[in-house]
Amino acid sequence: TQLLEQSPQFLSIQEGENLTVYCNSSSVFSSLQWYRQEPGEGPVLLVTVVTGGEVKKLKRLTFQFGDARKDSSLHITAAQPGDTGLYLCAGANSNYQLIWGAGTKLIIKP
Amino acid sequence: DAGVIQSPRHEVTEMGQEVTLRCKPISGHDYLFWYRQTMMRGLELLIYFNNNVPIDDSGMPEDRFSAKMPNASFSTLKIQPSEPRDSAVYFCASSWSLGQPQHFGDGTRLSIL
């Protein structure tokens, strides 16, 4: 069974701090997607990484795909209250099915 | 562009009643997915369709759950009879291809009393 483990499960920090969340697996994925989910809404895609070692930036968010395409990280610089939400990673396996992580619940306090 | 539309947004019903959740995917998307989300189990794939045909229903928890997609613009997830442990948020999502980013509706929050 393919698993994607996300850590930490929960993170509460002050506005302005930096943070990193992780998405790890023993399996190789052809691509990895990051989503953010806000209360009362469905997950919304933030980014897709495809190539091992790839780094993508979305304003203050930096996403990296591991060289072996088994893991990924999301780094947020100078977190803002608007970054609050549930961050989910999902990896596409060899059958092109998405394997979902359990998510990291992030709270940014003003 | 219209996103994935789900209805109802909230449903509260008593145990034993039939529940029907509805979804309209994004036009042109060939894949439709039904998920269930709980605090304990996270986001679970229940079933997905390709061109209106069910492909993988291995995530459907029991025979009480059934899903249909009579045409490219409409799908239903039915629970009959419903039980309190079915309480969760149910999401519908669609994508143009398998493994590609999925577009989610805002979900149906289901409470079975």
Side-chain angles (χ1 to χ4, degrees), chain B residues 35-52:
Chain B
Y35 289 91
R36 178 172 66 178
Q37 187 177 42
T38 61
M39 290 289 291
M40 291 296 296
R41 300 174 70 91
L43 196 64
E44 301 175 277
L45 177 66
L46 300 177
I47 185 171
Y48 77 91
F49 295 81
N50 176 215
N51 291 325
N52 315 337

Side-chain angles (χ1 to χ4, degrees), chain A residues 54-73:
Chain A
E54 182 177 4
V55 176
K56 280 191 173 179
K57 292 190 175 183
L58 189 66
K59 297 183 180 178
R60 293 174 294 99
L61 279 60
T62 302
F63 304 83
Q64 184 163 7
F65 202 11
D67 291 341
R69 291 184 288 131
K70 294 182 179 181
D71 54 84
S72 182
S73 63

Side-chain angles (χ1 to χ4, degrees), chain B residues 36-111:
Chain B
R36 178 172 66 178
Q37 187 177 42
T38 61
M39 290 289 291
M40 291 296 296
R41 300 174 70 91
L43 196 64
E44 301 175 277
L45 177 66
L46 300 177
I47 185 171
Y48 77 91
F49 295 81
N50 176 215
N51 291 325
N52 315 337
V53 176
I55 302 300
D56 184 355
D57 66 354
S58 58
M60 296 285 260
E62 301 170 31
D63 291 345
R64 299 184 295 106
F65 286 67
S66 62
K68 294 182 179 180
M69 193 166 184
N71 57 64
S73 59
F74 183 67
S75 178
T76 60
L77 177 67
K78 188 173 293 187
I79 308 173
Q80 166 63 20
S82 58
E83 296 183 4
R85 60 193 167 121
D86 301 331
S87 297
V89 182
Y90 289 80
F91 287 101
C92 175
S94 68
S95 70
W96 65 270
S97 183
L98 203 56
Q100 294 301 310
Q102 295 180 9
H103 298 256
F104 284 77
D106 284 336
T108 295
R109 182 172 293 277
L110 178 64
S111 297

